[in-house]
Amino acid sequence: MSSAARWKMLIVLLATMFMSLIGVSIVNVVLPAIQNTLGATESDIQWVLSGYALTFGVVLVAAGRAGDVFGRGVIFLTGLVIFTLASVMAGFAPDATSLNAARFIQGLGSGLLNPQVLGMIQQHFHGAERGRAYGALGTVVGFSVAIGPVLGGFLVQGLGENLGWRSTFLVNVPIGLLAILLAIRWLPRPLLHRSFTEPAATTQGRGNVKPKRPAVDLDPVGCLMLGLSILALMLPFVVARETPWAWWLLPGSMALLGAWILWEKSYKNRGREPMVDLELFKIRSFTLGNIIAGLYFMGVTSVWVLVAVYVQQGQGLSPLEAGLIGLPAALVSAWSSHMAGKYVVQLGRKLVIWGIISALAGLLTTMAVVELHAGGFLSIWWLLLTLSFIGLAQGAIISPNQALTLMDVPVANSGSAGGLMQTSQRIGTAVGIAVITAIFYATQHATGAWHTAMTVGFVAITVMVVLTLVVAIIDQRKGHEIADVLGH
């Protein structure tokens, strides 16, 4: 592709990511409105978030593999169409059951398209240009996270509860339709093809050589086993508050994951193409990068959940004010993502390490503000400043870590590798939110003090971020040399 064509393609990818991410961040502040207007139970409201997360996480790796095999364009476009149609369904949902069905389908569409974004960036951008592409992706992530809660609060406040929450889903539709048109026009051709094939097998006749195209191998058994193991791993952390027996799924998940590893090894030994080439985990930067992603998301994702609960239920702020309190952090995240994209190749894992240190500074100063506010010494709006350190960290960690983690991955495996990385993020998010919010609410019930619950919850987050820092330092000291892969 020419340089102009690559950046046009990136516009399509970024517009779609903006739509899918704003569809996540905007929902958090309108859950009370959904509950009031649909008469939804707490379980129904939980599934508005959880249903999306589960289907999204389960299909990521299989979707990445499908993109590697059939072509990333066609899988991306399929996910985009599904997500857009599901947004219409959600916006016009007559009851909670219909809304949750639409959210499941939205998660499926998002799970199909997300690995293709990383795969196409990995395939078509190289060297420093790849870093800038990931930086642009991080900027869009930061901006969508910033504008989502504010837009959600504004819509509910301006249009009323019923029309307001419905509008939060319907805003996806014009973006989705535009992205579909641009995808058809600007994505690489052909949309449906094998992105990369092994050297074709040959059959020799009388002095001639006839190329033979290799058969498509999707490894359906491996896809099913991994999908079920991820579902069994995530489900207890999502539903165990109301369904305690779900914890018994965890041993089954571990057993199924072990069986999947054995299956993938056996499948490759038989000369087939496994869903995931386990040789990827011999690449140190890929393995440690996935651990960094999982640990970081296990901790920092819960920051925004705790802040939203604390400022609304504990401090009486409105949904719009709750969105505004995190706005500077998200805007700083967008800026730092852009800057990180420029320097990730030169600085490597050092950039991620400094980002983690910024996150720790934000966590510690936020705890200080919460305690000082409880003592009557500071306004709660000082959180605008302290949370900005965490926003700075988001931009310096997430997109650069994606670029560094996938830097050494063969392009032919970039879809499944990207799916694995996003799966580690989803698992980290599900586990972290379940555990840290449980600590938060248990502390609040035991002490009756919102500020104490907030501080204890942030201490738990800090532990996860410190573990993330340790892994990042290990990778840095092992000497991951970015210069060695600039020509890839």
Side-chain angles (χ1 to χ4, degrees):
M1 297 179 69
S2 68
S3 179
R6 283 196 298 274
W7 289 99
K8 283 184 178 180
M9 177 195 72
L10 187 64
I11 290 173
V12 178
L13 304 182
L14 297 184
T16 305
M17 288 296 289
F18 175 80
M19 177 187 70
S20 65
L21 290 168
I22 204 173
V24 175
S25 63
I26 202 173
V27 170
N28 293 327
V29 298
V30 301
L31 292 178
I34 293 173
Q35 188 169 14
N36 293 338
T37 57
L38 292 185
T41 65
E42 288 188 5
S43 178
D44 291 330
I45 291 300
Q46 180 186 29
W47 279 107
V48 172
L49 298 175
S50 304
Y52 179 94
L54 283 174
T55 51
F56 179 76
V58 165
V59 304
L60 277 170
V61 182
R65 169 65 177 160
D68 290 340
V69 171
F70 291 117
R72 299 183 179 105
V74 69
I75 305 299
F76 174 86
L77 192 56
T78 301
L80 177 54
V81 170
I82 290 173
F83 187 92
T84 305
L85 291 175
S87 297
V88 176
M89 292 174 57
F92 290 101
D95 50 47
T97 301
S98 301
L99 176 60
N100 282 321
R103 289 290 284 171
F104 273 102
I105 298 171
Q106 265 193 327
L108 173 63
S110 190
L112 287 173
L113 65 89
N114 265 268
Q116 317 317 324
V117 174
L118 297 182
M120 282 192 270
I121 290 176
Q122 190 78 359
Q123 178 179 346
H124 296 290
F125 291 88
H126 307 279
E129 194 177 51
R130 183 184 292 170
R132 289 194 294 273
Y134 276 116
L137 175 61
T139 301
V140 168
V141 171
F143 183 71
S144 61
V145 171
I147 202 66
V150 178
L151 180 59
F154 177 79
L155 289 173
V156 170
Q157 188 165 310
L159 301 177
E161 285 192 333
N162 187 53
L163 186 56
W165 76 256
R166 294 181 185 279
S167 298
T168 62
F169 293 105
L170 295 176
V171 292
N172 294 327
V173 178
I175 302 173
L177 292 175
L178 178 61
I180 290 169
L181 294 176
L182 293 179
I184 294 171
R185 183 176 179 86
W186 287 346
L187 288 188
R189 292 293 188 274
L191 292 175
L192 177 61
H193 67 101
R194 288 208 59 168
S195 299
F196 287 88
T197 62
E198 299 70 32
T202 59
T203 55
Q204 295 190 6
R206 297 177 180 177
N208 66 336
V209 178
K210 181 181 179 181
K212 181 181 178 182
R213 185 176 179 81
V216 171
D217 192 346
L218 284 177
D219 185 14
V221 174
C223 289
L224 181 62
M225 292 175 71
L226 182 61
L228 289 175
S229 68
I230 293 171
L231 178 62
L233 177 60
M234 292 181 66
L235 194 61
F237 293 98
V238 171
V239 304
R241 286 184 189 176
E242 297 188 2
T243 315
W245 62 262
W247 290 115
W248 290 101
L249 292 173
L250 287 180
S253 169
M254 295 298 101
L256 193 55
L257 186 63
W260 172 76
I261 292 172
L262 294 175
W263 170 265
E264 295 293 272
K265 289 181 177 180
S266 171
Y267 202 73
K268 185 175 183 179
N269 290 338
R270 297 200 304 269
R272 308 293 296 274
E273 293 182 66
M275 175 192 185
V276 174
D277 188 348
L278 298 178
E279 295 291 314
L280 287 173
F281 291 100
K282 292 183 178 180
I283 302 173
R284 185 189 66 254
S285 57
F286 178 75
T287 300
L288 294 180
N290 272 281
I291 295 172
I292 290 170
L295 289 174
Y296 182 77
F297 275 75
M298 198 176 295
V300 174
T301 305
S302 298
V303 166
W304 311 109
V305 177
L306 298 194
V307 168
V309 173
Y310 169 71
V311 299
Q312 290 184 81
Q313 296 185 19
Q315 303 301 313
L317 270 63
S318 69
L320 180 58
E321 289 173 320
L324 289 172
I325 211 163
L327 181 61
L331 294 176
V332 170
S333 173
W335 173 82
S336 62
S337 293
H338 173 71
M339 297 304 296
K342 291 184 176 182
Y343 298 109
V344 62
V345 172
Q346 294 94 324
L347 297 178
R349 194 64 75 189
K350 290 180 182 178
L351 184 61
V352 175
I353 291 171
W354 281 108
I356 297 171
I357 292 171
S358 176
L360 289 173
L363 292 168
L364 295 174
T365 53
T366 296
M367 285 187 274
V369 167
V370 168
E371 291 298 329
L372 289 171
H373 174 70
F377 298 104
L378 283 181
S379 166
I380 195 63
W381 290 98
W382 277 97
L383 291 178
L384 292 167
L385 175 62
T386 63
L387 292 175
S388 294
F389 286 101
I390 300 176
L392 181 68
Q394 300 275 90
I397 295 171
I398 297 176
S399 291
N401 187 58
Q402 288 177 335
L404 296 167
T405 302
L406 299 176
M407 190 76 78
D408 295 333
V409 171
V411 175
N413 301 114
S414 58
S416 56
L420 282 169
M421 185 177 185
Q422 290 187 321
T423 300
S424 69
Q425 294 174 352
R426 293 308 103 208
I427 292 173
T429 298
V431 174
I433 288 178
V435 172
I436 292 170
T437 56
I439 293 171
F440 174 84
Y441 282 115
T443 305
Q444 200 279 326
H445 291 323
T447 65
W450 286 103
H451 66 93
T452 304
M454 186 73 165
T455 298
V456 172
F458 266 53
V459 168
I461 294 170
T462 301
V463 171
M464 301 311 304
V465 175
V466 169
L467 291 175
T468 309
L469 179 61
V470 170
V471 177
I473 291 173
I474 290 172
D475 192 29
Q476 171 66 21
R477 288 187 174 180
K478 290 283 187 179
H480 178 57
E481 297 294 340
I482 301 302
D484 293 342
V485 294
L486 284 178
H488 287 193

